[in-house]
Amino acid sequence: MNMAKNAKKAKGASSPEVAEETKTVNETEAVKEKKADSGKKDAKGEKKPNFFVRTARKAKSWCHDMKVELKKVHWPTRKELLKNCLVVLVCILAVGICIWVFDALAAAIIRALVNLAQG
């Protein structure tokens, strides 16, 4: 349908750019039709491998890529690891103390307001 419209445009077109664009669109549509006709065949004309073969290839590729990426990781030494764990524990302790203080303060204020309201 688009090819017929493009052909009409190309006949009535006065500029070579429009004709060239129409030619490109027609070639693109022809390529799409060829791909649709080929069904499950790949570029070599052979059938696509079955599900298990494709899955095994993907898994192998994933494992290889993971191995390559893990080689790029900077793994901390034992000393660095202990130092970082200590920093995390101190931060957790500090935040816990702050929450405890604010909770106790809020509880005292609420208690005071309740006592004031009761009279």
Side-chain angles (χ1 to χ4, degrees), residues 44-64:
K44 296 178 185 175
E46 298 173 2
K47 284 188 176 182
K48 211 160 113 174
N50 69 27
F51 171 77
F52 298 107
V53 172
R54 290 191 320 260
T55 305
R57 286 179 184 167
K58 287 179 186 177
K60 183 179 177 184
S61 174
W62 181 82
C63 289
H64 177 265

Side-chain angles (χ1 to χ4, degrees), residues 68-79:
V68 169
E69 288 298 320
L70 286 175
K71 286 182 179 180
K72 296 177 185 178
V73 174
H74 167 72
W75 296 101
T77 63
R78 185 175 182 89
K79 187 176 179 180

Side-chain angles (χ1 to χ4, degrees), residues 30-104:
V31 169
K32 287 181 183 176
E33 288 175 8
K34 277 185 178 180
K35 285 184 180 177
D37 291 340
S38 67
K40 288 188 173 182
K41 295 186 178 185
D42 62 4
K44 296 178 185 175
E46 298 173 2
K47 284 188 176 182
K48 211 160 113 174
N50 69 27
F51 171 77
F52 298 107
V53 172
R54 290 191 320 260
T55 305
R57 286 179 184 167
K58 287 179 186 177
K60 183 179 177 184
S61 174
W62 181 82
C63 289
H64 177 265
D65 293 344
M66 182 180 62
K67 184 178 177 183
V68 169
E69 288 298 320
L70 286 175
K71 286 182 179 180
K72 296 177 185 178
V73 174
H74 167 72
W75 296 101
T77 63
R78 185 175 182 89
K79 187 176 179 180
E80 290 172 334
L81 184 65
L82 291 174
K83 178 182 164 189
N84 291 340
C85 287
L86 183 64
V87 168
V88 169
L89 290 174
V90 168
C91 289
I92 290 172
L93 185 63
V95 169
I97 290 171
C98 289
I99 291 173
W100 177 68
V101 167
F102 288 129
D103 182 54

